[in-house]
Amino acid sequence: QLPQDAVMQSVLKNQVRIGNFVYFNGQTETVYAIRNSGVDFYRGKTKKSVIMQSYVWEAIKPIPLTKDWLSKLSFFIVETNGIFEANLPNFRYSIQTAKDYDGFFFCDGENVLTNFNYVHELQNLVFALTQRELTVA
């Protein structure tokens, strides 16, 4: 059986895309490029090129999705029972918490469509539906 970290790195490698937020050394970073061995983070530019730093997959961690992160990503609570809606154009879905489950659920109003636990998963879902990147407000 694979250790938890090895499983998470495999999941990250298959799910993370350019523009996703991840943790590196306890700091939030934005993925700038993806390679087989890891990811690159933007560090600036010169007149002729972009400066990036490369890190192996093992150094990257997913960011747990929390109510604070939902707020940073332009979601706001609409009811005291844990329903969040996005302050995004053309996004008619809600994100919910549930007492008996970990994480958050993506709903179309009545049906639970999927659940997720990490910021990059929400970013990928919103991008797939709207072709818009979630940004930190």
Side-chain angles (χ1 to χ4, degrees):
Q1 189 174 21
L2 291 172
Q4 179 78 17
D5 279 353
V7 171
M8 183 50 62
Q9 295 315 311
S10 175
V11 168
L12 273 176
K13 191 173 183 177
N14 291 317
Q15 291 182 353
V16 168
R17 62 182 184 74
I18 294 170
N20 281 159
F21 302 125
V22 295
Y23 277 144
F24 171 73
N25 274 347
Q27 300 288 330
T28 301
E29 298 279 358
T30 302
V31 174
Y32 188 78
I34 298 173
R35 297 174 290 105
N36 283 336
S37 59
V39 298
D40 295 343
F41 299 133
Y42 177 83
R43 295 295 184 238
K45 60 183 177 179
T46 66
K47 289 183 180 183
K48 295 184 180 184
S49 65
V50 172
I51 302 168
M52 297 183 290
Q53 281 185 303
S54 299
Y55 297 97
V56 295
W57 287 109
E58 292 77 19
I60 310 305
K61 304 290 182 228
I63 300 172
L65 188 61
T66 62
K67 292 177 183 179
D68 287 340
W69 265 101
L70 283 171
S71 177
K72 287 179 189 180
L73 297 170
S74 299
F75 283 80
F76 58 93
I77 193 161
V78 292
E79 297 178 21
T80 56
N81 63 355
I83 297 176
F84 294 82
E85 289 187 356
N87 188 14
L88 302 168
N90 303 319
F91 190 79
R92 309 268 186 260
Y93 302 93
S94 64
I95 306 298
Q96 292 182 247
T97 59
K99 293 178 187 174
D100 300 333
Y101 300 96
D102 291 333
F104 292 84
F105 296 86
F106 174 68
C107 305
D108 67 355
E110 298 176 12
N111 303 305
V112 172
L113 302 175
T114 189
N115 70 309
F116 43 89
N117 298 302
Y118 300 105
V119 170
H120 73 274
E121 293 172 325
L122 177 60
Q123 286 181 285
N124 293 347
L125 178 68
V126 170
F127 185 80
L129 293 170
T130 67
Q131 298 300 298
R132 293 175 186 246
E133 293 288 353
L134 285 176
T135 58
V136 175

